[in-house]
Amino acid sequence: MSLANSDLFSLGLDDHDRLNKELGGGIPPGSIILVEGDYGAGKSALSQRLTYGLCEEGHDVTYLSTELTVGSFLDQMHSLSYDMVDHLLDENVLFLHADIGDSNTFSGGDEQKERKELLKRLMEAEVMWDADVVVIDTFDAILRNDPKFEALVRQNDERQAALEIISFFRDIISQGRCVMLTVDPSTLDEEAIGPFRAIADVFIELEMIEVGNDVRRQINVLRFAGMGEQVGDTVGFSVRSGTGIVIESRSVA
């Protein structure tokens, strides 16, 4: 059964692009959204578009980035014509930078002991989970740099590690909030990413396709539970400086 549009978190910007319409009028409250894509596929751009649109519609968003500082986040958003300064000052968006370190630079036992338990700290950061929508970009970087998760991977027990964080996410969405995760699937084993694919209410794959000398991007909607209006199976898009996400009318087949 479809939800009424008023029950959805609208992605807004209807006069700017057609993304909200293509995705059925918004995302359903109480859902886990998984966005997969290789490096350069547009995961961050899509996350930033959703964040800006949600804030414009009056929703609170937490945006956790493993790559950007607050300065580079604002610069990047501005370059896409998504001006987040006012939303940041008005506390409509809480931006957090995840200092994940570099697991490949450890040279001794003492440094290994000091590695941060990222997933534990993530779950204990209560203030970040107060928002209507929590965006974690990119989630695979947190998994790969968490020592507990890494230890379970070495024991071939990735699934157990995934199920622990999934249980936490379920508690969050039971309160009507949304959790959006971006993941580069090439960086994780199937056993690690499989449970997240299985429980995602909205599962989106971003794909880059070479057409002659041109590279086109498209959104493949693999699952969309609780949709409003009809959701397109595939949506062509581009990312343009000074404009942001642009929905392409031509098919990418």
Side-chain angles (χ1 to χ4, degrees):
M1 181 180 295
S2 296
L3 293 170
N5 278 7
S6 60
D7 294 328
L8 302 172
F9 289 159
S10 172
L11 305 179
L13 306 188
D14 290 328
D15 57 348
H16 187 82
D17 60 44
R18 303 195 312 275
L19 184 64
N20 191 54
K21 182 178 180 180
E22 292 287 350
L23 294 182
I27 53 178
S31 60
I32 295 175
I33 303 146
L34 180 64
V35 178
E36 284 190 16
D38 293 335
Y39 179 80
K43 298 186 298 297
S44 292
L46 182 63
S47 301
Q48 291 157 11
R49 158 62 180 88
L50 265 59
T51 296
Y52 180 66
L54 288 163
C55 287
E56 288 285 289
E57 290 295 306
H59 302 297
D60 297 326
V61 180
T62 294
Y63 191 104
L64 175 68
S65 174
T66 61
E67 299 177 347
L68 302 175
T69 63
V70 64
S72 54
F73 170 72
L74 290 174
D75 287 344
Q76 189 161 320
M77 294 291 273
H78 180 71
S79 73
L80 297 173
S81 78
Y82 304 145
D83 192 352
M84 291 298 295
V85 174
D86 287 343
H87 287 304
L88 199 65
L89 293 174
D90 293 340
E91 299 184 350
N92 298 328
V93 62
L94 170 64
F95 177 85
L96 300 171
H97 169 64
D99 183 9
I100 61 176
D102 185 348
S103 61
N104 296 320
T105 62
F106 300 114
S107 57
D110 290 341
E111 292 186 18
Q112 182 69 24
K113 291 177 183 177
E114 293 175 3
R115 291 184 62 187
K116 301 169 183 175
E117 293 189 11
L118 299 174
L119 290 172
K120 182 173 184 290
R121 294 182 65 184
L122 185 74
M123 291 185 282
E124 290 178 348
E126 295 181 9
V127 66
M128 72 172 285
W129 303 104
D130 289 338
D132 297 323
V133 180
V134 178
V135 178
I136 304 178
D137 179 39
T138 55
F139 184 60
D140 60 276
I142 293 176
L143 292 180
R144 288 183 285 106
N145 287 277
D146 181 85
K148 182 178 179 182
F149 186 85
E150 183 184 65
L152 288 169
V153 168
R154 288 174 179 169
Q155 299 167 20
N156 294 318
D157 203 5
E158 301 98 319
R159 188 173 186 83
Q160 178 57 37
L163 292 176
E164 289 182 18
I165 185 71
I166 284 171
S167 177
F168 173 78
F169 287 155
R170 286 194 183 279
D171 287 342
I172 296 297
I173 67 171
S174 70
Q175 302 167 41
R177 300 184 173 99
C178 292
V179 177
M180 176 178 172
L181 311 171
T182 73
V183 174
D184 181 345
S186 68
T187 66
L188 294 174
D189 186 272
E190 175 63 31
E191 287 297 312
I193 198 171
F196 294 100
R197 289 172 172 164
I199 59 92
D201 302 287
V202 178
F203 182 13
I204 290 173
E205 176 189 58
L206 302 185
E207 188 177 11
M208 293 184 292
I209 301 174
E210 292 187 14
V211 181
N213 295 324
D214 195 15
V215 176
R216 302 182 189 175
R217 293 179 172 88
Q218 71 180 26
I219 299 168
N220 298 322
V221 180
L222 305 182
R223 184 184 310 126
F224 206 114
M227 70 175 69
E229 299 173 1
Q230 185 62 39
V231 175
D233 293 334
T234 61
V235 181
F237 76 102
S238 59
V239 182
R240 301 180 189 174
S241 178
T243 304
I245 293 285
V246 176
I247 302 302
E248 304 286 1
S249 57
R250 59 185 177 182
S251 174
V252 184

